[in-house]
Amino acid sequence: MKHQLKFLILMLLPFILWSQNSERNLSSENWSFKKISESKWLPAKVPGTVHTDLYNNKIIPNPFFGNNEKELQWIENETWEYQTSFKISKKELNNQNTILQFEGLDTYADVFLNNRKILEANNMFRTWKVDAKNDLKVGKNKLKIIFKSAVEIGKAKTQKLPYTLPEKERIFSRKAQYHFGWDWAPRFVTSGIYRPIKLLFWNNATIENIKYDQEELNESIAKLNFKVTVNAQLDGIYDLKINEVQKAFELKKGINIIDFPYEINNPKLWWTNGLGKANLYPFEVNLSKNKVQLSLKKLNIGLRTIELIQEKDSIGKSFYFKLNGKPVFMKGANYIPPDSFLPSVTTSEYKNIVQNAVDANMNMLRVWGGGVYPEDVFFEECDKNGILVWQDFMFACGMYPGDSDFLDNVKNEIVDNVSRLQNHPSIALWCGNNENDEGWKNWGWQKQFNYSKQDSTQIWNDYEKLFHQLIPKTLDSLLSKKENRYWPSSPSIGWGKKESLTQGDSHYWGIWWGKEPFEVYKKKVGRFMSEYGFQGMPNIKTLEKVIPKEDLNFTSEAFKNHQKHPTGFETINEYMKRDFPIPNELEKYNYVSQVLQAYVMKTAIEAHRLAKPYCMGSLYWQLNDCWPVTSWSTLDYYGNWKASHFQVRESFAPILLIVSENNNGLSVVGTNDNLEPQAGIVIAKLIDFSGNELWMNSKECVLNSEKNTNCMNILFTELPKFAKDKTVLQLEFICNNKKTVTYHYFVKPKELQLEKPTIEIKIVGETLIELKTNTLAKNLYLQADDTFFKENYFDLLPGVSKIIKTDKPSTAIKIVSMFDLLNE
Ligand code: BMA
């Protein structure tokens, strides 16, 4: 008996001594950095970037300020060193396994642990794991990372090819492509430890990865199969518990993949914003042995099916998503990294960006391929809020190499990122790249770079290897058939080609790049509009933060630097001239540029929704900014809503009345994105700008959900005589006591005969104001220091009292409306 007890204790000893796995984040250690050729070490922040560290040490001025970008280009050519020393305890070293995990090294990083090189990293998007057990010692340990210049390495690689690939050195590095500058981004080819470095300690066994397949899903049951990858130190019997279900498994030393079925009765489905709740089921996956917990992982699962439907039809081929068997019109925007220096973005900033998408009635965001695979928090917020994600792989607007080193590197990048992200219910689509295919076929690179036939064949073969073979094959190995939705390139066909409007997804840039009148949006509607857009200036305060007062004019270098499109202001001006007055004063110009952008967005979104179900998606370019700049974004760098974001919220509302004018009159079409038809009443009123009702009509109308409903036709002959420049048609749809209001004007904004409005503002609650006017106040803009008005840039008619919520009490409210511009 005594012997038996001894034996048992001996057997259990490893599990008593080394129990649960643990981790330690090395970000909290003291880090320092320097240029390699210098001797003085300076304090550094981890995660961080070279640029922000230089700035924090007052070596460089604020990179976003004035024209500083130009002066800071030297940084990209240098080699930078980071180091820290950290203590390891005896207990830590006693762990059976110690892994050093680098979650984001930007980009060419040689890592030394206690002076021995343990890693040569060359891909910002990968997670690097190094077995560090034998290199660590009790007491002080030194970790040093040398970052070589991505620009220098890229340039050296350009020399090795017999031809020049668009876009020069940028495409050789697996590094965020927007760091090299974009038509909305400054060029800051930074480097550094941009995501945490962790020490992972584990004993006996650890859960390395969890995936699940949704094998069956209906109203009564969800059948899941978890695939849990466990790395075991020794052969033996282990217990795996998923929520309340526990099972024993015999594991072999090394990697084991455990199948674990799990059922949920009467499952609640995951729905997108606007269609229902984004129900999530929390799961805890627990690995233990002899009742000692070894490893624990948590995940939230959303039960849903997503299908990308591409079926031939009389016009071309459909392109739409079905969620839980229902076709869903996708409304949203393209998302770019929210900062040039990614570690500066806080968790709450990520949350706000997603919340702003939710608030604007979106249900999809496209993560554009020139940035990074976003942080976990971004996807967690999309999961919680019912926002689907169209996830590009990180390739944009260029042609990429096809050598085996490059392809291997990309393969590992895909494995790392798909493994990290695949369990998020929000993931709708994996897309190979942004505009590489379109660029190759339509942007004249062959001529520009003078390619021989042989060069062209080689470059295109390399494209096919990467986007038609390597990536889809890797996805096949990682994803179940049901979750494997891959689309090689967005758009599939360039906007100059007519097929781009009959099949696939489409980027329509005839407006803006092609300078076509924006009414053309009505004709150029594709099956799924994944990009289109128009620039608007950021909030004036945003500009004031980064441009010195004396430079706040269109001619200063500092000002010009905060517009990255080659003909940016010229293009804005040209469009503004067509429809709006052009103010001389900057603040007013800023206001009109925003109203213009909103006006263009309204036209585009309405055209896309009017074409439902031919068109089943409208994702505009672009949601957010990475620095303070004039761009296509509807949220500026500091998260301020431009006029366009208010407009987008209105135009993406689940129910929308769309008015189209023809020679004989007007038609009023109702579009309804709910799952059920909506019965209501349409009330149309012709009102002059002083508030007199000239005509009215009303009609009951049931809005279908799968296709649009023509609710009312108004012939000009039924209307009394009215002055087109002094009258507005107000349309309301009243359904379940909810009112949707739309205004239709008969002439361009610059032709409107506006009177000076007298606007009465009353504070009616701590965060409530009431507004009234005596004559139409067009695009009324409310401004008060740091106050967010939940509605803004709206039209206010006499006779209407509008109550507006603010996020904080506000007193000194400034008001601008279109009248102020027309009568400068
Ligand atoms: C789109 C994007 C970006 C670009 C934008 C505006 O096509 O893919 O490359 O910033 O156009 O020009």
Side-chain angles (χ1 to χ4, degrees):
M1 180 67 196
K2 233 180 163 185
H3 269 347
Q4 271 177 342
L5 195 71
K6 237 186 180 172
F7 181 70
L8 194 74
I9 291 178
L10 222 70
M11 282 290 290
L12 286 179
L13 201 63
F15 301 100
I16 296 164
L17 277 181
W18 304 297
S19 54
Q20 208 176 350
N21 300 337
S22 60
E23 65 174 54
R24 188 171 142 193
N25 193 332
L26 292 182
S27 308
S28 52
E29 303 299 326
N30 282 329
W31 285 88
S32 52
F33 85 114
K34 67 178 183 69
K35 193 158 93 182
I36 201 154
S37 53
E38 269 166 22
S39 50
K40 196 172 163 215
W41 290 90
L42 298 163
K45 241 192 183 168
V46 168
T49 67
V50 169
H51 285 77
T52 41
D53 285 331
L54 288 168
Y55 175 61
N56 292 336
N57 281 285
K58 304 201 165 66
I59 309 283
I60 60 164
N62 178 353
F64 291 166
F65 195 79
N67 212 10
N68 291 347
E69 180 193 353
K70 299 256 168 346
E71 314 303 319
L72 300 178
Q73 292 306 309
W74 59 273
I75 300 168
E76 65 177 38
N77 300 314
E78 299 295 336
T79 303
W80 299 93
E81 271 180 294
Y82 278 76
Q83 68 168 26
T84 189
S85 56
F86 56 96
K87 281 201 179 120
I88 288 284
S89 67
K90 209 170 168 187
K91 201 174 152 218
E92 282 174 323
L93 204 66
N94 273 341
N95 282 288
Q96 291 169 343
N97 300 282
T98 304
I99 306 293
L100 244 182
Q101 176 165 293
F102 303 87
E103 297 183 356
L105 297 174
D106 178 10
T107 290
Y108 296 101
D110 291 351
V111 183
F112 299 83
L113 180 57
N114 295 327
N115 298 323
R116 195 178 82 81
K117 196 196 254 186
I118 57 163
L119 172 68
E120 263 182 48
N122 61 353
N123 186 331
M124 171 183 188
F125 308 123
R126 276 170 71 178
T127 302
W128 305 90
K129 289 185 182 187
V130 182
D131 183 348
K133 174 132 173 105
N134 295 332
D135 283 301
L136 287 170
K137 52 182 198 256
V138 174
K140 225 169 132 182
N141 290 268
K142 200 174 147 199
L143 188 62
K144 188 162 106 177
I145 308 181
I146 298 178
F147 290 97
K148 290 180 271 187
S149 157
V151 170
E152 296 293 319
I153 291 178
K155 280 185 181 160
K157 288 190 177 167
T158 59
Q159 299 303 312
K160 293 201 177 129
L161 284 181
Y163 42 75
T164 308
L165 284 176
E167 300 250 310
K168 302 192 193 104
E169 80 267 13
R170 155 163 89 73
I171 46 90
F172 289 96
S173 293
R174 296 310 298 140
K175 172 172 175 56
Q177 303 283 279
Y178 78 109
H179 284 175
F180 295 80
W182 217 265
D183 58 3
W184 37 264
R187 179 178 173 111
F188 289 123
V189 191
T190 194
S191 54
I193 305 161
Y194 85 107
R195 281 179 180 163
I197 300 178
K198 289 177 184 160
L199 275 170
L200 311 179
F201 303 107
W202 69 273
N203 302 291
N204 302 307
T206 188
I207 301 174
E208 297 223 317
N209 189 31
I210 304 171
K211 309 194 217 192
Y212 72 94
D213 291 334
Q214 195 179 268
E215 296 190 330
E216 200 180 322
L217 179 64
N218 57 49
E219 274 186 4
S220 54
I221 199 154
K223 288 189 185 170
L224 304 179
N225 184 46
F226 285 88
K227 277 196 185 305
V228 184
T229 307
V230 174
N231 194 353
Q233 185 77 20
L234 294 170
D235 291 0
I237 307 283
Y238 293 77
D239 292 310
L240 193 65
K241 195 172 163 207
I242 297 191
N243 285 355
E244 71 294 346
V245 186
Q246 181 167 331
K247 287 183 185 175
F249 292 91
E250 199 180 331
L251 302 185
K252 296 259 164 283
K253 181 178 165 34
I255 296 288
N256 299 260
I257 298 178
I258 304 174
D259 279 296
F260 196 119
Y262 190 99
E263 292 187 0
I264 300 170
N265 291 321
N266 308 317
K268 290 189 186 132
L269 298 185
W270 184 91
W271 287 102
T272 44
N273 182 31
L275 290 188
K277 263 184 96 177
N279 292 299
L280 292 175
Y281 285 86
F283 280 92
E284 277 196 14
V285 182
N286 218 313
L287 181 71
S288 62
K289 186 160 176 73
N290 301 327
K291 303 222 159 61
V292 179
Q293 191 190 64
L294 300 173
S295 186
L296 171 74
K297 282 212 155 59
K298 295 182 181 178
L299 70 160
N300 286 319
I301 287 181
L303 303 170
R304 90 289 181 266
T305 58
I306 299 179
E307 297 153 86
L308 172 62
I309 309 290
Q310 294 192 74
E311 279 164 358
K312 283 215 167 110
D313 54 27
S314 60
I315 309 166
K317 203 170 175 193
S318 70
F319 189 103
Y320 70 94
F321 292 91
K322 268 191 183 172
L323 174 69
N324 301 323
K326 309 273 182 196
V328 179
F329 191 101
M330 293 304 164
K331 295 176 287 194
N334 285 269
Y335 165 90
I336 62 160
D339 209 297
S340 290
F341 310 113
L342 285 162
S344 315
V345 188
T346 62
T347 299
S348 72
E349 282 166 339
Y350 281 113
K351 289 186 176 178
N352 281 340
I353 291 176
V354 177
Q355 191 58 49
N356 284 328
V358 172
D359 291 345
N361 293 311
M362 298 187 192
N363 56 11
M364 182 178 260
L365 291 175
R366 169 172 174 243
V367 176
W368 169 77
V372 297
Y373 305 94
E375 309 290 315
D376 293 341
V377 58
F378 171 82
F379 293 94
E380 285 158 12
E381 289 307 300
C382 290
D383 292 349
K384 274 189 225 160
N385 289 291
I387 299 289
L388 287 168
V389 176
W390 168 314
Q391 178 67 52
D392 281 3
F393 290 106
M394 292 303 124
F395 302 89
C397 306
M399 295 307 278
Y400 287 79
D403 57 274
S404 59
D405 283 352
F406 187 84
L407 294 179
D408 274 357
N409 197 357
V410 170
K411 186 174 174 183
N412 286 312
E413 166 191 329
I414 306 291
V415 172
D416 285 353
N417 287 284
V418 175
S419 305
R420 175 167 75 92
L421 304 176
Q422 66 184 6
N423 291 332
H424 289 284
S426 50
I427 296 269
L429 189 71
W430 302 99
C431 173
N433 65 68
N434 173 75
E435 297 184 348
N436 296 9
D437 185 304
E438 148 150 30
W440 179 250
K441 290 175 184 154
N442 303 303
W443 294 355
W445 285 335
Q446 283 84 349
K447 256 200 189 151
Q448 186 187 342
F449 297 103
N450 201 15
Y451 294 140
S452 65
K453 204 156 181 241
Q454 202 187 354
D455 297 341
S456 282
T457 312
Q458 175 71 39
I459 296 168
W460 184 248
N461 281 347
D462 286 345
Y463 177 92
E464 294 215 308
K465 260 197 258 170
L466 186 51
F467 298 108
H468 294 166
Q469 292 161 31
L470 179 100
I471 297 181
K473 265 197 200 145
T474 310
L475 287 179
D476 287 347
S477 72
L478 295 167
L479 299 170
S480 71
K481 250 201 163 133
K482 281 186 202 158
E483 289 303 314
N484 197 349
R485 293 171 294 272
Y486 176 65
W487 187 241
S489 185
S490 179
S492 47
I493 301 168
W495 61 267
K497 302 261 157 56
K498 63 177 187 306
E499 293 79 15
S500 69
L501 301 177
T502 57
Q503 64 187 72
D505 69 321
S506 166
H507 294 185
Y508 196 74
W509 284 106
I511 287 113
W512 183 266
W513 282 96
K515 304 246 180 93
E516 292 169 354
F518 52 78
E519 288 78 12
V520 171
Y521 276 132
K522 295 179 188 166
K523 287 189 222 139
K524 303 283 179 155
V525 181
R527 310 307 297 256
F528 191 106
M529 305 303 290
S530 43
E531 271 188 28
Y532 60 91
F534 196 88
Q535 282 200 353
M537 292 177 81
N539 194 294
I540 193 81
K541 294 221 164 69
T542 296
L543 290 177
E544 283 167 1
K545 280 188 190 152
V546 290
I547 298 172
K549 228 185 164 134
E550 64 278 12
D551 286 340
L552 274 171
N553 59 68
F554 289 93
T555 53
S556 83
E557 289 306 311
F559 195 91
K560 284 197 252 173
N561 194 39
H562 288 80
Q563 161 65 277
K564 291 296 185 191
H565 188 270
T567 63
F569 283 120
E570 239 172 84
T571 306
I572 295 178
N573 236 30
E574 193 172 324
Y575 277 94
M576 198 184 279
K577 201 162 63 194
R578 295 181 196 169
D579 290 86
F580 286 85
I582 301 193
N584 295 320
E585 200 195 301
L586 181 71
E587 207 167 328
K588 289 184 176 171
Y589 189 94
N590 181 295
Y591 161 84
V592 181
S593 95
Q594 291 203 29
V595 174
L596 165 67
Q597 185 194 18
Y599 190 58
V600 183
M601 297 307 280
K602 177 177 155 80
T603 313
I605 295 172
E606 288 189 354
H608 302 156
R609 294 189 70 183
L610 191 63
K612 175 183 161 181
Y614 178 80
C615 172
M616 281 299 279
S618 183
L619 311 179
Y620 65 85
W621 184 264
Q622 73 204 67
L623 180 66
N624 56 325
D625 276 332
C626 70
W627 78 314
V629 66
T630 293
S631 80
W632 299 261
S633 77
T634 58
L635 300 170
D636 78 14
Y637 173 67
Y638 296 105
N640 296 306
W641 286 33
K642 297 186 188 175
S644 51
H645 206 75
F646 291 94
Q647 180 62 55
V648 162
R649 177 178 65 186
E650 191 182 314
S651 297
F652 279 159
I655 288 182
L656 182 73
L657 292 181
I658 304 166
V659 187
S660 325
E661 211 176 304
N662 53 46
N663 290 342
N664 302 326
L666 304 135
S667 77
V668 182
V669 169
T671 188
N672 167 22
D673 287 340
N674 296 290
L675 294 176
E676 305 297 328
Q678 305 285 318
I681 176 160
V682 176
I683 305 173
K685 285 181 184 166
L686 197 64
I687 304 171
D688 72 20
F689 292 170
S690 314
N692 301 308
E693 191 181 306
L694 309 178
W695 171 92
M696 88 88 96
N697 191 11
S698 68
K699 211 174 154 192
E700 281 178 10
C701 189
V702 181
L703 303 186
N704 294 320
S705 53
E706 268 157 31
K707 55 182 204 276
N708 294 330
T709 314
N710 194 327
C711 286
M712 193 185 269
N713 288 318
I714 304 167
L715 291 173
F716 284 132
T717 48
E718 16 170 337
L719 298 177
K721 245 193 158 191
F722 66 97
K724 283 197 167 181
D725 52 4
K726 285 186 189 156
T727 313
V728 56
L729 182 73
Q730 174 186 285
L731 286 142
E732 294 171 329
F733 185 76
I734 303 171
C735 164
N736 299 329
N737 291 325
K738 264 182 115 180
K739 204 197 284 184
T740 312
V741 189
T742 312
Y743 296 115
H744 174 80
Y745 294 90
F746 298 90
V747 297
K748 292 179 172 181
K750 68 176 180 186
E751 290 158 2
L752 293 172
Q753 293 300 311
L754 300 171
E755 302 280 328
K756 185 177 173 56
T758 307
I759 295 158
E760 203 186 300
I761 309 186
K762 240 204 241 157
I763 312 262
V764 289
E766 213 190 336
T767 54
L768 283 183
I769 56 168
E770 186 187 10
L771 293 171
K772 281 185 191 157
T773 180
N774 61 336
T775 177
L776 167 72
K778 183 95 185 67
N779 303 105
L780 193 149
Y781 171 46
L782 301 160
Q783 201 189 353
D785 272 346
D786 293 332
T787 305
F788 177 68
F789 295 90
K790 305 242 154 126
E791 287 177 74
N792 219 335
Y793 298 94
F794 50 84
D795 296 351
L796 185 64
L797 278 170
V800 180
S801 104
K802 195 162 179 101
I803 309 264
I804 291 174
K805 272 193 173 174
T806 57
D807 63 343
K808 53 173 87 85
S810 53
T811 42
I813 302 173
K814 203 172 135 190
I815 298 183
V816 181
S817 78
M818 199 49 75
F819 172 85
D820 305 319
L821 286 313
L822 292 172
N823 300 280
E824 256 203 330

